[in-house]
Amino acid sequence: MIGQQDVQKVAHLARLTLTPAEEAQFTTQLGAILEYVEQLNELDVTTVEPTTRAIDVSNITRPDQQHPHPNRAQILAGAPDPEGDFFRVPKIMDS
Amino acid sequence: MTTAAPAKTTYEAVIGLETHCQLSTETKIFCPCSTQFGTEPNHNVCPVCMGMPGVLPVLNQKVLEYAVKAGMALNCDIARFSKFDRKQYFYPDLPKNYQISQYDLPIAQNGWLEIELVDELGSATRKTIGITRLHMEEDAGKLVHGGSDRLSGSTFSLADYNRAGVPLCEIVSEPDIRSGQEAAEYAQELRRILRYMGVCDGNMQEGSLRCDVNISVRPVGQEAFGTKVEIKNMNSFNAIQRAIDYEIQRQVEVLESGGTLSQETRLWEEGAQRTISMRSKEGSSDYRYFPEPDLTPIEVPLAQLETWRSQLPELPAQKRHRYETDLELSAYDARILTDDLAVAQYFEATLWAGAPAKQAVNWIMSDITGYLNTEKRSISEIALTPAALAELIALIESSTISSKIAKDLLPKLLSQGGSPKALVEQKGLTQISDSATLTALIDQILAAHPQELEQYRAGKTKLQGFFVGQIMKKTNGRADPKLANQILSKKLKG
């Protein structure tokens, strides 16, 4: 069973700030989801290969040929805070 | 022998390296943007490497080929089934908030490489260093911190994503390394191998080859590892060696004084020649890896693997062994010649053109290397072809010219090329090895210097050098030195 501490940890990893009420709410909801999925444990899968992907395709590659993107300026213009040729980002570390 | 004081504990270091190598492709790992270094910021970007919603990354075929070949060159098992995973972390050098990497099914595992340590006397010790794994991943962008020259204290940062998505292969060694010297040699051998294959240019200044070191110390004989410290920020082989030597000493001193080490990341400070603590590592980070749903798994067909294996060149260690065994070169010579593939190829081409190995080694390692160092050129840029060098050596071997004349001709041959034989004929530099001609010439010289001759005969035998000088001067260095000396000695004695 998932506990409130697990929810706090997941929230921290996802950089989410939750109120104690939200933590309690998500603990119940996530618990219910996990419980539902746990029904799969009833199946014996010892002889089944692990699935890493839903579609059975492998080895899709492309040739090493350049195709510069036609509108790079637009990419930069879409940023919340462009500065010259750069993307400006907020302070990273609290000193 | 018994002493009152307890025996002093001796420590050994346990070291492993994680090396990130940029693969020399035209385009990024999952999109067709250029990988060119030094272009203006955010010039080589597109929606895929910028992590826009709805885009589809596709693996660059060349990245797969280079990674597989590098794995083969490092004696790894190539995975029958491999896949990519998402490694989640938040840092603004990563536009997607995850890095596409490989977690539990890397493309290559369980390899090794051989390092060779040559001591001052020139004798070589060989050691095998295990390779745990090699995997493919994308590089992150570059941040310029504003308001301070360091991250801490900066008020904002500027992101340049030209490098985001540049293909890397990460190569992790086993903790088989025991000293700074071994670590530096491992890194150099790894770079040599990758350069021989043409899969990575190994330029540490531009960041195409980056090494992180994991290091701990333990009392000799103890099985369990000590507390592990990671060192970053070394941008030369020399720095790797010095950072490790410093860190071994630091860790031993902490333990000897009764302290405890903490698991942390430390930075090598080149200016101060020391490591400083960067951040502590409490347990392993939680990257929440999961299979990358946008990329298909990789199952390289056997026929493809065989083709790639057949394209592997002779590798540095194989060349060293062959030079030592077949050509009977010293470990030292073999090591210098094979350090740069272009030099090894030049040397081999000189041999194919008929030159004896010893002479070819001497010319390449002394005069030609000297010229390359002064002119700041690489061997592929000189005008003297390997065939012409072989011709020059043949002219000396056949006594057509003296080695002094050959050395005089070398600068012109190196800068302008052409046939040494033709040059010798054109300049009339053929060696004078006719004893009648030399006898007549020596008679003339002795007649012209009666005083010196008298002094010589009175016991000042050092003057023989003076007469040799006169002969060489008269003949522009063309006199056969051995023959001229024989005749001169006879004549001087009267």
Side-chain angles (χ1 to χ4, degrees), chain A residues 9-10 12-15 50-53 55-69 72 75-76 81 83 85-93 95, chain B residues 25-29 31-32 34 41-43 45-47 50 58-61 81 83 90-92 151 154-159 161 286 288 293 295-299:
Chain A
K9 189 189 171 198
V10 172
H12 169 72
L13 289 171
R15 301 294 184 272
T51 306
T52 54
R53 220 170 165 274
I55 309 163
D56 188 20
V57 186
S58 43
N59 301 333
I60 305 290
T61 57
R62 63 177 177 84
D64 185 25
Q65 276 163 15
Q66 275 190 49
H67 286 289
H69 184 65
R72 289 184 295 251
I75 294 177
L76 197 63
D81 194 7
E83 183 171 314
D85 287 328
F86 289 97
F87 294 85
R88 188 184 163 112
V89 297
K91 185 172 170 179
I92 295 169
M93 228 168 93
S95 42
Chain B
T25 55
E26 284 280 303
T27 67
K28 291 186 177 180
I29 182 168
C31 64
S34 168
N42 295 303
H43 186 80
V45 296
C46 77
M50 295 301 289
V58 185
L59 178 63
N60 183 339
Q61 172 72 16
F81 184 94
K83 67 172 170 69
F90 294 105
Y91 202 70
L151 172 59
S154 66
T155 50
F156 63 94
S157 300
L158 298 174
Y161 296 115
D286 193 342
R288 291 153 295 143
L295 288 159
T296 62
I298 301 148
E299 297 170 275

Side-chain angles (χ1 to χ4, degrees), chain B residues 248-261:
Chain B
I248 292 173
Q249 201 186 341
R250 186 191 71 84
Q251 293 189 10
V252 169
E253 277 169 14
V254 169
L255 296 177
E256 299 256 276
S257 64
T260 47
L261 293 157

Side-chain angles (χ1 to χ4, degrees), chain B residues 83-94:
Chain B
K83 67 172 170 69
F84 285 97
D85 300 275
R86 290 187 181 181
K87 177 181 178 178
Q88 338 276 328
Y89 64 91
F90 294 105
Y91 202 70
D93 63 0
L94 211 57

